[in-house]
Amino acid sequence: MPLTFASDESAAVAMHVIENKGLDNWLNRQSDQIAAWVRSTGFTGSLGETLLVPSGSGEIAMVLAGYGSVEKRARGRFHLAHAAVKLPEGAYAIKGLDASRASEESLGWLLASYAFDQYREKKSARAQLVAPDGVDAGRMEAIAAGECLTRDLINTPACDMGPSGLEAACARLAEEFGADIKVVKGEELLSENFPMIHMVGRAAEQKPRLVEMRWGDSGPSLTLVGKGVCFDTGGLNLKPTSAMALMKKDMGGAATVLGLARMIMDIGLKLKLRVLIPAVENSVGGNAFRPGDIIRARNGLTVEINNTDAEGRLVVGDALACGAEEKPDLIISMATLTGAARIAVGADIAPYFTDDGLLAEALDKAGGAVADPVWRMPFHAPYEKLIEPDIADLDNAPRGGMAGAITAALFLRRFASDVRYAHFDIYGWSAGNGPAIPKGGAGQGARALLEALPETLGL
Ligand code: BES
Ligand code: MN
Ligand code: ZN
């Protein structure tokens, strides 16, 4: 189901957005009949409250949506998304919301309309919003479509979204926007010098691969790298049951960069886009890579494997090295890389690392502006020694686990030499505590990046 605004404005029901403290004032301006109805229902204007107001003939005359207070709203985002999932099917037009809030709220409405219902009989029907004045409806729908793609890719179980499924998804996206696709698969990964991608994925039934998509032929160059571990068992360092449960989402980095790529192509940003997705499954088998193995990566560095469950940095490392060889104006990697990042900032915030102060400034500002919270973490150089073992250049899983998100980021930085670089360690999943971001796969950081790109790349 596409996440779009209502096309027929004329039939829309008015939705009055009312704060707690504004309710009395609003009621004073209504007919006695309406005021009496609203009072008798106990509607107070609190966040998340909705109320249908009937006409004399029993139709829906209008609806009210509670908008709480400034203090209550500060605890969350996308407050009208409650109404989007509670109201009956039909079109609604926002009344009484200041323009500065309309953009976030209408995006929240679109995002709340998402449902992952491919695998069930019962399909969800949703209320639709009329695009408020001053909102760039086309841009917002492009953003929602990108996020929708990200969620679908993550939510699709690994049995249907293995390396070949992820490749097919890239091919469909490329087809839709006239982008070019190239795939290096199986043994070719060795002859084309992607040893770590091959090593991590070689024990799986579906061949490991690197999928490359290129789009656009003018403007600055942007390369996006996304971790596409379609399922992460942990490998021979097998994960316990609870830690493996959600690992279909370990291609969340790939899903999020593809969502961002979709936004960029749909909006038509003038840049040369390259997307690199190492798509593998981290499986168990007689031919699986082992703890203690040492591998020479694409960029020539040797890596000692101390934990086969620290596989993301290996596949992303080779892809980053490949990306950096072309010296693009900016490289971004996104990966569900470490549990430590979750411990540090929780599921809501996308932590990112960069040495580029201007990019960080633009990202922080953008994250606030588009309600996509991001937080800068340090590439703390004194911790470099933690990723240097005795007998190889790099260690994929430093013992002790101190600063796990930072050491993983430092590891990746060794593969992104001499380029402007940022790495996002995302969670890619929502527990569903807010309606605009339902339980399941969730994009993080893509909207902030989209917003920050023009300033960052001089578009
Ligand atoms: N995919 C996981 C990281 C992960 C786990 C992200 C849970 C989000 C939620 C990654 O491949 C992994 O297993 N990382 C290990 C690294 C460790 C062995 C150094 C981790 O974070 O425990
Ligand atoms: Mn792992
Ligand atoms: Zn992983």
Side-chain angles (χ1 to χ4, degrees):
M1 183 178 56
L3 309 180
T4 51
F5 290 107
S7 46
D8 183 11
E9 276 183 49
S10 59
V13 173
M15 181 175 71
H16 297 273
V17 178
I18 300 174
E19 290 192 313
N20 292 122
K21 68 171 171 22
L23 180 61
D24 282 339
N25 203 347
W26 186 83
L27 287 173
N28 288 338
R29 287 183 277 119
Q30 308 307 311
S31 68
D32 290 349
Q33 193 203 354
I34 287 176
W37 168 262
V38 174
R39 288 206 172 92
S40 66
T41 63
F43 179 86
T44 63
S46 291
L47 273 184
E49 261 186 293
T50 55
L51 180 67
L52 305 176
V53 179
S55 69
S57 56
E59 259 103 65
I60 300 177
M62 62 172 78
V63 302
L64 311 189
Y67 211 47
S69 61
V70 176
E71 294 74 28
K72 286 279 159 58
R73 288 199 298 276
R75 289 193 177 191
R77 48 185 162 146
F78 304 131
H79 307 289
L80 291 186
H82 291 280
V85 294
K86 280 170 142 183
L87 292 176
E89 255 182 286
Y92 297 87
I94 292 179
K95 307 281 175 205
L97 186 69
D98 63 274
S100 65
R101 312 277 326 172
S103 163
E104 178 182 324
E105 298 301 357
S106 41
L107 176 64
W109 187 291
L110 294 185
L111 296 181
S113 308
Y114 174 84
F116 186 65
D117 50 18
Q118 282 100 303
Y119 289 85
R120 67 171 186 231
E121 197 71 39
K122 194 168 143 271
K123 307 294 178 197
S124 318
R126 293 283 196 239
Q128 274 196 311
L129 189 70
V130 172
D133 289 343
V135 163
D136 183 342
R139 179 182 169 90
M140 204 147 289
E141 288 178 347
I143 291 172
E147 170 67 18
C148 184
L149 171 66
T150 299
R151 293 179 185 179
D152 278 349
L153 293 175
I154 297 176
N155 288 331
T156 304
C159 56
D160 292 334
M161 191 50 68
S164 66
L166 189 52
E167 178 190 331
C170 296
R172 278 196 303 275
L173 183 64
E175 167 89 39
E176 187 177 350
F177 290 96
D180 293 321
I181 277 271
K182 192 185 141 200
V183 182
V184 181
K185 196 182 322 189
E187 300 302 302
E188 279 165 28
L189 287 166
L190 295 175
S191 53
E192 298 281 328
N193 194 21
F194 296 100
M196 296 200 291
I197 299 175
H198 180 269
M199 179 186 69
V200 170
R202 72 189 180 204
E205 202 166 276
Q206 290 183 17
K207 290 186 168 129
R209 61 204 76 192
L210 178 69
V211 185
E212 174 180 17
M213 186 173 83
R214 286 181 192 269
W215 175 89
D217 45 24
S218 62
S221 47
L222 168 68
T223 296
L224 305 176
V225 178
K227 172 178 171 181
V229 175
C230 295
F231 195 79
D232 183 10
T233 66
L236 293 177
N237 294 115
L238 196 67
K239 284 181 185 292
T241 302
S242 59
M244 206 189 295
L246 272 183
M247 282 300 126
K248 70 170 182 181
K249 78 170 174 75
D250 214 18
M251 32 60 75
T256 306
V257 300
L258 288 171
L260 173 57
R262 199 196 181 290
M263 296 174 200
I264 289 171
M265 296 189 293
D266 200 352
I267 290 166
L269 289 189
K270 283 269 166 291
L271 47 78
K272 290 183 291 238
L273 177 65
R274 185 182 189 202
V275 181
L276 293 167
I277 308 281
V280 303
E281 207 180 316
N282 188 18
S283 283
V284 180
N287 60 339
F289 71 126
R290 318 161 195 73
D293 283 356
I294 294 178
I295 178 108
R296 187 174 296 279
R298 179 180 182 87
N299 68 354
L301 292 174
T302 57
V303 179
E304 183 179 318
I305 305 304
N306 278 312
N307 193 324
T308 60
D309 198 10
E311 84 297 338
R313 65 199 75 187
L314 306 174
V315 297
V316 174
D318 269 352
L320 273 176
C322 172
E325 285 157 18
E326 278 190 4
K327 300 251 175 293
D329 294 307
L330 178 64
I331 296 198
I332 306 285
S333 59
M334 295 191 125
T336 50
L337 204 63
T338 69
R342 267 45 288 151
I343 306 286
V345 297
D348 247 22
I349 300 170
Y352 71 92
F353 299 78
T354 184
D355 287 317
D356 190 304
L358 285 176
L359 174 60
E361 216 174 284
L363 272 172
D364 290 346
K365 202 167 63 184
V370 299
D372 186 11
V374 297
W375 194 259
R376 188 182 185 183
M377 305 263 278
F379 273 131
H380 189 57
Y383 292 166
E384 293 279 7
K385 60 178 177 295
L386 297 177
I387 57 170
E388 291 165 350
D390 298 335
I391 59 170
D393 299 320
L394 288 173
D395 181 341
N396 83 323
R399 268 168 262 271
M402 296 275 269
I406 298 178
T407 52
L410 288 171
F411 185 100
L412 289 185
R413 191 173 64 169
R414 299 286 186 106
F415 296 86
S417 331
D418 303 319
V419 281
R420 209 174 169 199
Y421 173 52
H423 154 63
F424 284 74
D425 192 336
I426 60 174
Y427 188 54
W429 192 263
S430 159
N433 303 321
I437 309 172
K439 181 175 175 200
Q444 289 183 290
R447 288 184 291 106
L449 271 165
L450 182 75
E451 184 75 11
L453 281 178
E455 184 179 329
T456 305
L457 289 174
L459 294 176

